[in-house]
Amino acid sequence: MKLKKKDIFFQTLENMADTIVQAADYFAQHVVNLQDVLLFANEMKKFESQCDEYTHTIITELNKTFITPIERDDIMDLTTTLDDVMDGLEACASRFDMYHLPNSDEYIVQFAEILRQSAYEMQKAIHLLSQKKLLAIREYTIRLNDLENQGDELLRICIKELFAKVKDPIELIKHKEIYERLETTTDACEDVANMLESIIMSNS
């Protein structure tokens, strides 16, 4: 019996989610002990470029496909929010090279772990979307919201600590921007959760 070919949109969204997991894993593993900042930034750029290709595939397919498995706007919005997560991870990695930061700190490592966990929750949710198991997705959107709250709290803690301990204004600016970019990336993960919730509501 021939297996039914997976819809191009669902397959590409799955590919994006899988790539984000690989990127978040790489980021979390390497940010703990940065050996080569330029290599770190370049590897993250490769993941980001791959996601850009998937986004291009979806736009191309939307332009030539009459009937889509879910609303066209939902597909495009979900693609964009996933791409925002990948862009956020890559932008954070590039800052280590741009700002000549040879190492990270405990807060960046904690943010990396929150983002790694968020990536896995998104991946599970996107794979359930492909299977049309919409209500089962809620478990993962709730978890993504919780992880984003952890990111908010961590930002408050690390900014307070930064202003209390770091006297060099240049170093303060560098670290503050990286912390805020990391937290904004957790917001992007929550945007994915919100987009999935919207899809659940309009298709249930």
Side-chain angles (χ1 to χ4, degrees):
M1 181 178 164
K2 189 177 180 183
L3 289 173
K4 185 181 177 184
K5 187 181 177 186
K6 189 171 285 186
D7 176 86
I8 184 67
F9 297 108
F10 286 151
Q11 182 62 67
T12 308
L13 287 166
E14 282 187 12
N15 291 344
M16 283 189 83
D18 293 348
T19 302
I20 291 168
V21 163
Q22 291 167 21
D25 265 341
Y26 182 89
F27 188 94
Q29 286 164 14
H30 288 79
V31 85
V32 176
N33 183 23
L34 282 171
Q35 300 291 326
D36 185 333
V37 173
L38 182 58
L39 176 65
F40 175 64
N42 287 342
E43 287 300 311
M44 290 299 297
K45 183 65 183 174
K46 288 177 188 174
F47 290 122
E48 191 260 344
S49 297
Q50 184 64 67
C51 268
D52 283 346
E53 285 183 30
Y54 292 136
T55 300
H56 179 70
T57 297
I58 284 177
I59 292 168
T60 302
E61 290 297 324
L62 281 173
N63 285 330
K64 67 182 187 184
T65 305
F66 185 66
I67 298 173
T68 55
I70 54 176
E71 291 293 328
R72 306 171 76 83
D73 287 349
D74 288 344
I75 292 170
M76 196 62 238
D77 289 345
L78 184 55
T79 303
T80 303
T81 51
L82 284 168
D83 194 49
D84 287 344
V85 174
M86 185 65 251
D87 287 347
L89 281 166
E90 189 275 328
C92 292
S94 71
R95 291 311 182 275
F96 285 96
D97 179 42
M98 286 167 59
Y99 297 162
H100 302 286
L101 281 175
N103 46 48
S104 62
D105 59 36
E106 61 178 304
Y107 300 116
I108 293 171
V109 170
Q110 288 177 53
F111 267 120
E113 181 56 25
I114 289 170
L115 288 165
R116 191 185 70 80
Q117 290 180 39
S118 298
Y120 277 96
E121 300 302 326
M122 287 187 291
Q123 182 189 43
K124 291 168 194 167
I126 297 294
H127 280 260
L128 284 171
L129 179 64
S130 293
Q131 299 164 38
K132 298 285 186 78
K133 295 179 179 176
L134 297 180
L135 295 179
I137 292 171
R138 282 237 159 88
E139 176 188 344
Y140 303 105
T141 59
I142 290 167
R143 179 81 178 121
L144 283 163
N145 285 318
D146 179 52
L147 286 162
E148 191 275 335
N149 288 336
Q150 291 179 36
D152 283 347
E153 181 61 24
L154 182 57
L155 182 66
R156 281 190 284 272
I157 293 166
C158 65
I159 294 291
K160 184 178 179 181
E161 184 90 350
L162 186 66
F163 277 88
K165 292 188 174 177
V166 177
K167 302 306 177 189
D168 183 335
I170 302 298
E171 288 305 309
L172 190 145
I173 290 167
K174 289 177 183 179
H175 282 83
K176 182 172 180 286
E177 200 211 333
I178 288 179
Y179 294 154
E180 288 174 342
R181 277 188 177 274
L182 287 162
E183 192 277 329
T184 299
T185 309
T186 68
D187 289 343
C189 295
E190 186 180 45
D191 290 341
V192 173
N194 293 340
M195 192 60 236
L196 287 164
E197 282 286 348
S198 174
I199 291 169
I200 293 167
M201 284 190 288
S202 58
N203 289 275
S204 296

